[in-house]
């Protein structure tokens, strides 16, 4: 038993070292800067500066929530219909879903600029058929669209994974008991797929609320998100590292609270069929 335990610890050691160097140490550095001033003395004044960016934080939450809801509305039926396809078709759709993730994040975002720009593909087509151009780029809708496009695989994959494991005998039993399609969706599929939904919401909301590059390129810097504010402060110079770290710390705490709430909600579900 001791040998097995020692072997397990030995195998896990590289991962623990990696986590300590690239996760724990940066977090400690961030916390240090958040609670110190330029001279290194302890202070809480950095936290008082957060009030200046409460609008950016609120807008970030609203944008992330909108992108998460839209992503869920698209991903859930898509994942459901994928499970009804042949295995070969499911694999092909999975490759298509994951294909954008194999490309660089910057390239994916820039591709939407060529589509939504005033001289982009959509406005060029509208101009060709005699319709007026639309202001698509540098709008809140463009930012949310970019979030949905970049993060939708993180919603589809966990929902599909959970749905594909649902036993068909449960659906057959529901049919034998007189359930129609909507009833089976409400009482069987939705409760059993809820863990995948919560996982997908978490994996989409967290990067959306902290993103900054999408808003800069598709929003034209007209809307300041909390990620933009943090990046801007870090780029100004060392004098603003403390305030930027305080903002990052508050954002991290907010994200951890959201994760705790979602996990609590997930734990409260028994994952069974609703009778």
């Amino acid at each position: 038993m001791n040998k097995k335990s020692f072997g397990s610890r030995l195998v896990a050691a590289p991962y623990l070292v990696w986590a300590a160097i690239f996760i724990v140490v940066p977090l400690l550095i961030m916390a240090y800067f958040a609670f110190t001033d330029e001279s290194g003395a302890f202070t809480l004044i950095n936290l008082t500066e957060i009030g200046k960016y409460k609008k950016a934080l609120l807008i970030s939450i609203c944008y992330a929530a909108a992108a998460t809801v839209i992503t869920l509305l698209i991903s859930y039926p898509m994942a459901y219909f994928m499970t009804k396809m042949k295995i070969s078709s499911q694999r092909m759709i999975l490759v298509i879903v994951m294909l954008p993730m194999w490309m660089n994040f910057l390239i994916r975002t820039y591709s939407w600029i060529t589509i939504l720009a005033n001289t982009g593909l959509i406005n060029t087509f509208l101009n060709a058929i005699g319709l007026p151009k639309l202001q698509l780029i540098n709008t809140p809708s463009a930012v949310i669209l970019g979030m949905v496009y970049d993060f939708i695989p993180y919603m589809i994959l966990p929902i599909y994974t959970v749905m594909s494991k649902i036993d068909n005998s449960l659906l057959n039993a529901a049919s034998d008991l007189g359930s129609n399609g909507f009833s089976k969706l409400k009482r069987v599929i939705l409760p059993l797929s809820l863990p995948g939904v919560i996982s997908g919401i978490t994996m989409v909301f967290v990067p959306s609320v902290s993103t900054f590059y999408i808003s800069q390129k598709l929003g034209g810097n007209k809307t300041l998100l909390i990620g933009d504010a943090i990046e801007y402060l870090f780029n100004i110079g060392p004098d603003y590292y403390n305030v930027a770290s305080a903002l990052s710390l508050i954002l991290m705490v907010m994200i951890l609270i959201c994760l705790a709430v979602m996990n609590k909600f997930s734990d409260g579900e028994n994952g069974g069929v609703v009778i």
Side-chain angles (χ1 to χ4, degrees):
M1 184 67 178
N2 292 333
K3 292 183 178 180
K4 182 178 180 180
S5 178
F6 176 77
S8 300
R9 291 197 297 268
L10 186 63
V11 171
Y15 302 98
L16 296 176
V17 172
W18 184 93
I21 295 176
F22 295 102
I23 299 178
V24 178
V25 173
L27 290 178
L28 292 177
I29 294 174
M30 179 184 66
Y32 168 78
F33 277 101
F35 291 104
T36 57
D37 56 17
E38 292 81 358
S39 63
F42 176 81
T43 180
L44 297 176
I45 193 172
N46 298 318
L47 299 179
T48 63
E49 296 291 322
I50 296 175
K52 298 179 181 179
Y53 303 95
K54 60 183 179 181
K55 181 179 179 181
L57 181 59
L58 180 61
I59 293 176
S60 299
I61 295 174
C62 292
Y63 280 25
T68 302
V69 171
I70 295 172
T71 304
L72 177 60
L73 293 177
I74 296 173
S75 302
Y76 196 89
M78 181 176 179
Y80 173 76
F81 288 116
M82 284 173 60
T83 59
K84 302 302 179 182
M85 297 178 179
K86 299 179 180 178
I87 298 298
S88 58
S89 299
Q90 292 183 30
R91 292 173 179 171
M92 182 185 67
I93 298 298
L94 281 175
V95 171
I96 295 174
V97 169
M98 297 178 63
L99 188 60
M101 300 173 64
W102 299 346
M103 294 183 289
N104 187 274
F105 181 82
L106 305 183
I107 296 176
R108 300 202 307 267
T109 305
Y110 265 109
S111 65
W112 277 106
I113 298 178
T114 63
I115 296 174
L116 302 176
N118 294 331
T119 57
L121 297 178
I122 295 178
N123 280 318
T124 299
F125 173 76
L126 293 176
N127 186 52
I129 61 178
L131 296 177
K133 293 183 178 180
L134 301 175
Q135 180 60 42
L136 302 174
I137 199 72
N138 300 335
T139 61
S141 299
V143 177
I144 295 174
L145 175 62
M147 293 178 180
V148 171
Y149 171 74
D150 281 312
F151 303 128
I152 195 170
Y154 302 115
M155 182 72 77
I156 295 176
L157 294 179
I159 296 177
Y160 165 77
T161 301
V162 173
M163 279 189 175
S164 63
K165 296 179 181 179
I166 296 178
D167 193 345
N168 286 328
S169 63
L170 296 175
L171 300 176
N172 295 332
S175 298
D176 294 339
L177 293 174
S179 295
N180 55 23
F182 178 77
S183 180
K184 287 190 291 185
L185 175 64
K186 178 182 177 181
R187 297 177 179 274
V188 181
I189 299 176
L190 184 58
L192 293 178
S193 62
L194 193 58
V197 171
I198 295 177
S199 178
I201 290 175
T202 303
M203 295 175 68
V204 172
F205 180 80
V206 170
S208 295
V209 77
S210 58
T211 188
F212 62 92
Y213 189 80
I214 295 175
S215 58
Q216 291 178 4
K217 296 305 177 183
L218 299 182
N221 291 323
K222 292 184 178 180
T223 303
L224 182 69
L225 302 183
I226 191 65
D228 299 317
I230 294 172
E231 190 224 10
Y232 174 74
L233 291 172
F234 271 113
N235 286 337
I236 292 178
D239 293 340
Y240 294 88
Y241 283 178
N242 304 90
V243 178
S245 297
L247 281 175
S248 302
L249 183 64
I250 293 299
L251 180 61
M252 184 188 70
V253 170
M254 185 194 71
I255 291 174
L256 290 177
I257 293 174
C258 293
L259 292 177
V261 171
M262 292 179 182
N263 288 334
K264 183 66 175 179
F265 179 75
S266 177
D267 293 340
E269 297 293 334
N270 55 20
V273 180
V274 178
I275 303 301

